[in-house]
Amino acid sequence: MTKTQRMLAAIALAGAAAGLAAPAASAAPISPLTLPDLPTAAPGMPEGATPNSVQDIGAKLNDLNQLNQLMDLPNQLAPVIAPVQPITDLAGAIQ
């Protein structure tokens, strides 16, 4: 057996051992999912500045998503603007 063959055999055995150990490791009990504590308001902050529940956080994320959609509005309007683009370009050149 050459040195290369011995190295390949060792790698194959290590891979097989890892494959046998993987199902045993995945059978370990899963720890329960815990949510982090909600943030508390710093002194002097308004009452509504901190969320009172996970639903409040979700609502704020939904508001941010709507703002992201507004940022994408020019891309959504491109098919509407494309037919009149040459006219607006000419109007801009006349000024």
Side-chain angles (χ1 to χ4, degrees), residues 1-72:
M1 190 181 256
T2 66
K3 186 176 183 180
T4 304
Q5 289 173 332
R6 285 191 298 240
M7 287 176 59
L8 289 174
I11 292 171
L13 285 173
L20 291 174
S26 65
I30 299 172
S31 61
L33 179 66
T34 58
L35 294 173
D37 293 334
L38 292 173
T40 57
M45 287 184 72
E47 186 65 32
T50 58
N52 294 324
S53 67
V54 175
Q55 288 81 11
D56 288 347
I57 295 172
K60 290 183 189 299
L61 289 176
N62 190 25
D63 292 343
L64 287 175
N65 187 27
Q66 290 176 354
L67 286 175
N68 286 336
Q69 289 177 355
L70 284 176
M71 295 296 290
D72 195 40

